[in-house]
Amino acid sequence: QFKLVESGGALVQPGGSLRLSCVISGFRLDEYAVAWFRQAPGKEREEVACINSAGLSLNEGDSVKGRFAISRDVANHTVYLQMNSLEFEDTGVYYCAADEFWTSWCPAKSTDFASWGQGTQVTVSS
């Protein structure tokens, strides 16, 4: 059973930085891909980044390219999302997700992932 637990969300000013963590259990990061999604109020859940079983960063969304970076620590079972130059539009609940079907890549649709964390709130506000 895949389990994921996010942490690190906070209230931050525009231009600030945060690092989110996703601690996994029930599977290995060098065997399955993990994606970060976010959901703003009233909007659909969108994928912001994916890291595959080989550790390659994929699917970085246009709205976060150059500002967000996904990484992992296999030994500590953790996937990170480093977020820099935060903007008001980055506000939302951030989730990590995985699925037994996805190893070398991640689909963009949230409905293609079976396992989710509970989410962590990121609020960008002055």
Side-chain angles (χ1 to χ4, degrees):
Q1 182 180 3
F2 288 16
K3 184 177 179 183
L4 306 97
V5 180
E6 304 94 336
S7 64
L11 171 64
V12 61
Q13 291 186 339
S17 297
L18 280 177
R19 188 176 78 161
L20 306 183
S21 299
C22 172
V23 178
I24 65 97
S25 59
F27 66 102
R28 291 175 57 89
L29 290 175
D30 56 359
E31 292 183 347
Y32 295 94
V34 173
W36 280 99
F37 283 78
R38 68 183 181 186
Q39 188 164 22
K43 294 189 176 181
E44 292 187 357
R45 200 168 290 191
E46 66 167 342
E47 187 174 272
V48 295
C50 162
I51 189 162
N52 72 4
S53 57
L56 295 177
S57 176
L58 306 170
N59 299 3
E60 197 174 69
D62 288 340
S63 61
V64 305
K65 198 164 291 185
R67 300 188 298 121
F68 289 13
I70 190 170
S71 62
R72 70 181 188 181
D73 182 339
V74 175
N76 287 308
H77 314 291
T78 304
V79 177
Y80 301 101
L81 184 68
Q82 178 66 44
M83 305 188 296
N84 299 324
S85 302
L86 283 161
E87 303 171 352
F88 294 119
E89 293 75 18
D90 296 318
T91 294
V93 180
Y94 284 69
Y95 301 89
C96 54
D99 190 287
E100 64 179 6
F101 287 106
W102 315 125
T103 57
S104 60
W105 70 289
C106 294
K109 290 169 54 179
S110 62
T111 51
D112 287 330
F113 287 87
S115 299
W116 293 83
Q118 82 288 351
T120 187
Q121 176 71 45
V122 172
T123 302
V124 183
S125 176
S126 54

